[in-house]
């Protein structure tokens, strides 16, 4: 079937480069999306491969299961034992909804981002750019994706062979939640 995709791997890889290089984080965690989602699988794979490229050993990585919902971010925050501190410096989430749920629940537990931990999302939903702290995320070009899908559909109607479809770029949007100063 025909689809217009985005380069999840490159977006996540570039984000991890920022976290490991600009901030020097050495303890990473990832909140996955559903195992049946190709986007979630690609984002997790890129996270894991990028950490290996930066020399972050497996014992400095924690993986939590999520489902792309705000509730799974709330649930992770509620079940974490924080009595001895968090087991990570930065939590990367497979989407923004989970990151925002985690932020809100940790706030209610008295832990603040980016003072006590850093967090990132993926998708760049509107809320990411106006809640406090502003969420560092990977921007999905949804408008461009929709426009290209329509163009490809129209091309397909006009002729059967429409050629290869290159994925669209995803780029990090650096904001406060990774520890960068307000942009």
């Amino acid at each position: 079937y025909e689809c217009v995709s985005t380069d999840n791997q490159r977006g996540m890889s570039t984000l991890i480069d920022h976290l490991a290089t600009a901030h020097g984080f050495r303890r990473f965690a990832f909140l996955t999306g559903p195992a049946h989602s190709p986007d979630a699988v690609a984002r997790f794979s890129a996270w894991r491969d990028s950490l290996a490229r930066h020399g972050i050993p497996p014992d400095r990585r924690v993986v939590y299961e999520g489902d792309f919902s705000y509730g799974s971010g709330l649930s992770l925050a509620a079940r974490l034992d924080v009595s001895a501190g968090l087991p990570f410096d930065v939590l990367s989430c497979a989407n923004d909804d989970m990151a925002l749920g985690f932020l809100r629940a940790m706030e209610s537990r008295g832990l603040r981002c980016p003072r006590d931990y850093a967090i990132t999302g993926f998708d760049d939903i509107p809320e990411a750019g106006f809640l406090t702290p502003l969420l560092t995320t990977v921007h999905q070009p949804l408008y461009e994706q929709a426009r290209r899908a329509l163009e490809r559909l129209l091309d397909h109607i006009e002729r059967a062979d429409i050629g290869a479809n290159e994925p669209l770029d995803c780029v990090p949007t650096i904001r406060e939640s990774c520890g960068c100063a307000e942009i």
Side-chain angles (χ1 to χ4, degrees):
Y1 70 95
E2 184 68 30
C3 72
V4 176
S5 62
T6 55
D7 193 345
N8 287 289
Q9 294 89 343
R10 185 169 181 218
M12 181 60 75
S13 179
T14 305
L15 180 62
I16 297 304
D17 290 348
H18 172 76
L19 298 171
T21 304
H23 297 285
F25 292 132
R26 303 303 296 167
R27 297 181 314 140
F28 287 79
F30 192 82
L31 181 54
T32 69
H36 65 272
S37 165
D39 288 337
V41 170
R43 293 168 192 179
F44 175 64
S45 176
W47 176 84
R48 187 188 60 236
D49 294 347
S50 297
L51 291 179
R53 190 170 32 83
H54 282 281
I56 307 295
D59 67 339
R60 307 289 272 167
R61 308 176 205 170
V62 182
V63 178
Y64 303 103
E65 290 186 28
D67 62 10
F68 278 162
S69 73
Y70 185 89
S72 65
L74 291 172
S75 175
L76 172 59
R79 70 179 186 267
L80 274 178
D81 178 7
V82 298
S83 59
L86 289 169
F88 53 82
D89 301 318
V90 58
L91 172 65
S92 295
C93 299
N95 78 350
D96 292 344
D97 285 327
M98 294 188 300
L100 295 176
F102 186 86
L103 274 167
R104 292 306 145 239
M106 292 303 277
E107 198 172 272
S108 71
R109 295 184 71 184
L111 293 167
R112 300 275 184 259
C113 174
R115 181 191 71 198
D116 301 312
Y117 66 95
I119 191 168
T120 66
F122 206 106
D123 292 330
D124 198 15
I125 63 174
E127 294 88 342
F130 67 79
L131 295 176
T132 301
L134 300 174
L135 184 64
T136 294
T137 185
V138 176
H139 177 74
Q140 289 273 40
L142 298 179
Y143 177 81
E144 176 65 19
Q145 198 172 11
R147 185 184 64 73
R148 184 165 309 164
L150 178 60
E151 287 173 354
R152 291 188 65 78
L153 175 62
L154 294 174
D155 286 347
H156 187 66
I157 290 169
E158 291 177 11
R159 60 187 193 282
D161 182 22
I162 57 175
N165 186 16
E166 293 295 318
L168 297 171
D169 282 337
C170 291
V171 295
T173 301
I174 306 301
R175 297 187 180 116
E176 298 167 324
S177 72
C178 67
C180 284
E182 186 174 347
I183 304 299

